[in-house]
Amino acid sequence: DRGSIKTLSFPATVEFIPFIDIIDNYFENLEEITVDEENQYYKSVDGVLYNHDLTELIAVPRAYKGTLNLPETVTNLDSLKIPYAGKLTGITFSENADLYFDGYVLYNKAQTIAIKGINLKGDYVMPETVEEIGKCAFADLDELKSVKVSSKVSEIAYGAFFDSDALESVELPENLQAVGFTSFEGCDSLKSIDLNEGLTRIEYRAFYNSGLESVSLPSSLTDDMHQLVFANCKNLKSVDLGTGLTIVSEGAFAKCTALEEINFPANITEIDDNAFMGTGIKTLTIPDNVIYVKQNAFSDCDSLKSVVVGDGTETLRAAFTDCDNLETVYLGKSITDMEYCFTGCRSLKKIE
């Protein structure tokens, strides 16, 4: 059970380890990394991993506690990799390092980059000098309640607030253009968020398994909403797809069990694979403008009882498999492909 592992040891023969994917994501209780003294590529100091000559910080164990004391040889901002490590209480570094620490957040000296929240609790107002949020900068902070993001930030970085489960409120800047990969994944206490006009991209699992109760997409978001963006949001009840989006992406709202209804505006032409799989939708109308409903788009919707498909829809391939309580379906005039569409729909009584 990797969740119980507290120490990870590497022998002298190891030459490369993909740390972001393996250590940070999967060993959440890891406290220490050790390396054989004969290893020519890596070195461990106080349970933290560096390259062999101690100029680059490679990985801080996710459950590492206390103060991180960087060797004086680590001076380059680009060498810092502290993606999660939410249990840190402090950090020390060489006076020659391009770093500034105010006791709560680690920045570069100019305070244009927020690198890592350390022992950050309660409410945080980001300095207006900040233009960039580092990867996983505020991830795994159990007592962070609210954040106001600097108006100069244009993108919420990869994993920026990942698994900060006490986070209740985030004020995003008006000029925000992108919400990155897993930015708010696992933010259980985040009930709502205002997505600004001008936002053009929401990346993979950005709000996955968060506490969101409602979502309203801006018209500026067209076709750059990635997979599983709002999937597994168990409290999500209300969704406004906006007027810009044309494709509901793969798995976008999958397993949002509290979502009981969805309306498709005139701009939606395609509902991708698994988009609403396992939701709580009770009745469904697919309007004429939706041409393609792809595989398992509404599969496993156990509360779904009736479906009306518009005259413009052409494809329904395996779209409603295993909807146990689906009873009636009204099909449009243009359907050319509905193979396996209703497989496993045991209660189906009527198709017209």
Side-chain angles (χ1 to χ4, degrees), residues 2-306:
R2 64 194 180 202
S4 65
I5 295 175
K6 294 186 176 182
T7 299
L8 200 56
S9 300
F10 293 99
T13 53
V14 169
E15 298 181 8
F16 174 73
I17 309 165
F19 286 98
I20 293 298
D21 291 337
I22 294 179
I23 294 179
D24 297 322
N25 289 341
Y26 297 110
F27 296 93
E28 60 184 28
N29 293 310
L30 189 67
E31 298 177 354
E32 178 186 37
I33 302 169
T34 65
V35 180
D36 190 289
E37 291 182 358
E38 300 298 320
N39 191 289
Q40 298 180 19
Y41 299 92
Y42 298 105
K43 186 173 287 189
S44 174
V45 178
D46 297 331
V48 176
L49 193 75
Y50 300 87
N51 65 338
H52 190 264
D53 60 3
L54 297 180
T55 58
E56 181 178 357
L57 172 63
I58 302 295
V60 180
R62 187 165 177 177
Y64 187 92
K65 297 177 182 178
T67 298
L68 175 63
N69 299 303
L70 295 178
E72 290 190 358
T73 45
V74 177
T75 59
N76 186 355
L77 179 66
D78 293 336
S79 75
L80 287 179
K81 296 179 178 66
I82 319 175
Y84 297 109
K87 306 299 185 291
L88 286 178
T89 57
I91 187 168
T92 64
F93 44 84
S94 165
E95 61 181 14
N96 297 320
D98 182 24
L99 298 171
Y100 168 75
F101 180 50
D102 65 0
Y104 302 99
V105 179
L106 180 68
Y107 305 92
N108 63 333
K109 275 187 177 176
Q111 295 186 62
T112 57
I113 304 173
I115 300 170
K116 182 63 186 173
I118 296 175
N119 202 30
L120 184 61
K121 303 176 182 180
D123 305 323
Y124 169 59
V125 178
M126 193 176 293
E128 279 298 303
T129 54
V130 174
E131 300 173 357
E132 179 183 342
I133 299 174
K135 183 181 291 185
C136 302
F138 302 99
D140 219 18
L141 296 175
D142 295 337
E143 298 182 67
L144 180 62
K145 296 285 188 181
S146 72
V147 174
K148 181 179 180 181
V149 179
S150 164
S151 64
K152 295 181 181 179
V153 171
S154 61
E155 180 171 348
I156 304 298
Y158 173 117
F161 299 94
F162 178 91
D163 217 18
S164 288
D165 50 18
L167 185 63
E168 298 174 353
S169 171
V170 177
E171 184 176 335
L172 300 175
E174 293 181 357
N175 64 331
L176 191 71
Q177 297 175 16
V179 178
F181 183 102
T182 70
S183 292
F184 297 96
E185 179 173 338
C187 292
D188 297 341
S189 301
L190 188 64
K191 305 300 182 186
S192 64
I193 193 165
D194 291 330
L195 300 176
N196 59 293
E197 284 296 333
L199 184 70
T200 58
R201 187 173 78 253
I202 306 179
E203 295 184 357
Y204 177 76
R205 290 172 64 135
F207 297 95
Y208 183 92
N209 199 34
S210 69
L212 287 178
E213 295 179 351
S214 63
V215 169
S216 182
L217 301 180
S219 61
S220 53
L221 183 67
T222 53
D223 291 332
D224 210 354
M225 186 169 83
H226 295 190
Q227 298 172 343
L228 301 170
V229 168
F230 300 102
N232 215 44
C233 291
K234 302 296 186 184
N235 299 319
L236 187 61
K237 297 178 181 179
S238 172
V239 173
D240 181 350
L241 293 172
T243 59
L245 201 67
T246 61
I247 299 172
V248 182
S249 60
E250 182 177 345
F253 300 96
K255 298 185 180 180
C256 293
T257 52
L259 186 63
E260 296 184 354
E261 62 177 343
I262 185 71
N263 295 311
F264 298 102
N267 41 289
I268 300 294
T269 60
E270 182 177 318
I271 303 170
D272 212 340
D273 295 353
N274 309 310
F276 295 93
M277 181 185 70
T279 58
I281 294 174
K282 295 181 177 181
T283 62
L284 178 67
T285 298
I286 299 174
D288 294 350
N289 48 278
V290 176
I291 301 172
Y292 305 106
V293 181
K294 293 194 171 180
Q295 190 163 320
N296 299 320
F298 298 94
S299 293
D300 296 309
C301 292
D302 291 338
S303 298
L304 186 62
K305 292 192 173 183
S306 68

